C-alpha cells in the first residue's frame, strides 16, 4: 500500500512569489486535505478536495487555492507569498463519501516552505 | 464548534517513568478523538483513535488513552517512557462526518522530552 507522498520536501521563495506544492494520496483514498503547520503550532485546516471539488475550507484567504486531479492527487497553490506563509504544509488523504468513515487522516511528510 | 486544549506545551520525564499527556476537548456532538505523534522534520503518525465503543483505546508503541465523556478528556498515557518516545504529540477532534468535510481540529501540541 502506497502512503501519502509530497513534493518538494523543502523550498525557499521570496515575498510576492507564487508556489505550487504537490501531493499523491494513499491508494484507495479519494479525499485530500491540506494543513498548514506554523513553527510551534498544531496543524490548521486549509481545505479539502473530493471528486475534484473543494468541499470544505478553513480560515485562509483566496490566494490559497488547490486542485484535485482524476487520480485523486492534489496541488496547493499559494499566490503573493507573505513572510507568515513560512510553514510546514501537510497533505492528508482519507476515504471519502461512499467509503467507510473513520475520521482518521493519513499524512504525508510535508513540504517545508520558507518565505524570505 | 469543536476545539482541543492540550495542557502543558512541554513535558519532561525520566526514562522508565509514566508518561501522561493531557487533552480536553469541546464538541457539540459525540466526538471522534485522535492522538498523533510528530518526530522532528516528519509528518504526523497516528498513535490511536477513539470512535465508538470501548473507552480505553490502545495504540502503537505501548500508548493508550481513555475517553471520559463526563470530563471531556482524552489523556494519553504510557507506563514506561523510552528515549525513542521523545517527540511532539498532538490531540485532535474530528467533525464526525459533518457535511462532506472530514476535518481534524488539532491542539497546539505537547513536546515530550525523555531524560536518561
Amino acid at each position: 500500500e502506497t502512503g501519502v507522498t509530497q513534493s518538494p520536501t523543502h523550498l525557499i521563495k521570496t515575498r510576492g512569489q507564487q508556489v505550487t506544492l504537490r501531493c499523491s494520496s494513499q491508494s484507495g483514498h479519494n479525499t485530500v486535505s491540506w494543513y498548514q503547520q506554523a513553527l510551534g503550532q498544531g496543524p490548521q485546516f486549509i481545505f479539502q478536495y473530493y471528486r475534484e471539488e473543494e468541499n470544505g475550507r478553513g480560515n485562509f484567504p483566496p490566494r490559497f487555492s488547490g486542485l484535485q486531479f482524476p487520480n485523486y492527487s492534489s496541488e496547493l497553490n499559494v499566490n503573493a507569498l507573505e513572510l507568515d506563509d513560512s510553514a510546514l504544509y501537510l497533505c492528508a488523504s482519507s476515504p471519502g463519501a461512499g467509503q467507510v468513515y473513520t475520521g482518521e487522516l493519513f499524512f504525508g511528510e510535508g513540504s517545508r516552505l520558507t518565505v524570505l | 464548534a469543536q476545539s482541543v486544549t492540550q495542557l502543558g506545551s512541554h513535558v519532561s520525564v525520566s526514562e522508565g517513568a509514566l508518561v501522561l499527556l493531557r487533552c480536553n476537548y469541546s464538541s457539540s456532538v459525540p466526538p471522534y478523538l485522535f492522538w498523533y505523534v510528530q518526530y522532528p522534520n516528519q509528518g504526523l503518525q497516528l498513535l490511536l483513535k477513539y470512535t465508538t465503543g470501548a473507552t480505553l483505546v490502545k495504540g502503537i508503541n505501548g500508548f493508550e488513552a481513555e475517553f471520559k465523556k463526563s470530563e471531556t478528556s482524552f489523556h494519553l498515557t504510557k507506563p514506561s517512557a523510552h528515549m525513542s518516545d521523545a517527540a511532539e504529540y498532538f490531540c485532535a477532534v474530528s467533525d464526525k462526518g459533518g457535511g462532506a468535510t472530514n476535518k481534524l481540529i488539532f491542539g497546539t501540541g505537547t513536546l515530550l522530552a525523555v531524560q536518561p
Side-chain angles (χ1 to χ4, degrees):
Chain A
E1 187 177 75
T2 305
V4 178
T5 58
Q6 294 186 242
S7 63
T9 55
H10 295 82
L11 69 167
I12 299 173
K13 295 284 188 178
T14 56
R15 272 188 310 173
Q17 285 189 312
Q18 179 266 345
V19 67
T20 297
L21 307 178
R22 295 177 175 83
C23 171
S24 295
S25 63
Q26 181 165 317
S27 58
H29 290 177
N30 59 17
T31 300
V32 173
S33 305
W34 287 91
Y35 287 76
Q36 181 195 66
Q37 186 180 15
L39 196 62
Q41 300 295 318
Q44 299 288 319
F45 175 73
I46 303 175
F47 44 51
Q48 178 181 295
Y49 278 82
Y50 170 65
R51 289 186 175 176
E52 303 174 54
E53 298 271 341
E54 182 184 297
N55 71 344
R57 189 177 184 94
N59 188 26
F60 282 82
R63 59 190 185 84
F64 285 78
S65 63
L67 287 171
Q68 186 181 32
F69 301 99
N71 66 353
Y72 308 135
S73 66
S74 177
E75 287 182 355
L76 164 66
N77 299 289
V78 187
N79 294 322
L81 285 167
E82 301 176 0
L83 296 180
D84 285 349
D85 295 334
S86 295
L88 180 68
Y89 289 85
L90 294 164
C91 173
S93 72
S94 60
Q99 298 177 339
V100 175
Y101 180 84
T102 64
E104 179 181 350
L105 296 181
F106 297 79
F107 286 87
E109 303 242 322
S111 295
R112 185 164 297 281
L113 171 64
T114 302
V115 182
L116 302 177
Chain B
Q2 285 92 342
S3 66
V4 172
T5 302
Q6 291 184 243
L7 297 176
S9 58
H10 292 79
V11 170
S12 182
V13 300
S14 299
E15 193 173 16
L18 171 71
V19 175
L20 171 61
L21 304 183
R22 299 178 187 274
C23 172
N24 289 89
Y25 70 91
S26 172
S27 177
S28 56
V29 297
Y32 281 10
L33 294 160
F34 305 84
W35 276 99
Y36 281 86
V37 61
Q38 186 176 37
Y39 297 100
N41 300 313
Q42 294 189 23
L44 299 172
Q45 180 184 5
L46 181 71
L47 276 179
L48 50 78
K49 64 182 179 184
Y50 168 79
T51 53
T52 59
T55 57
L56 181 63
V57 293
K58 296 185 184 300
I60 62 171
N61 301 338
F63 284 93
E64 61 182 39
E66 186 171 12
F67 169 62
K68 292 187 176 180
K69 183 179 178 181
S70 61
E71 298 178 7
T72 61
S73 70
F74 190 57
H75 302 329
L76 182 71
T77 60
K78 181 174 181 178
S80 176
H82 295 164
M83 297 295 290
S84 59
D85 294 328
E88 188 148 27
Y89 293 79
F90 293 94
C91 181
V93 62
S94 173
D95 179 4
K96 189 169 63 178
T101 304
N102 180 14
K103 177 175 81 172
L104 290 184
I105 297 165
F106 287 88
T108 52
T110 297
L111 187 62
L112 175 66
V114 181
Q115 308 299 327

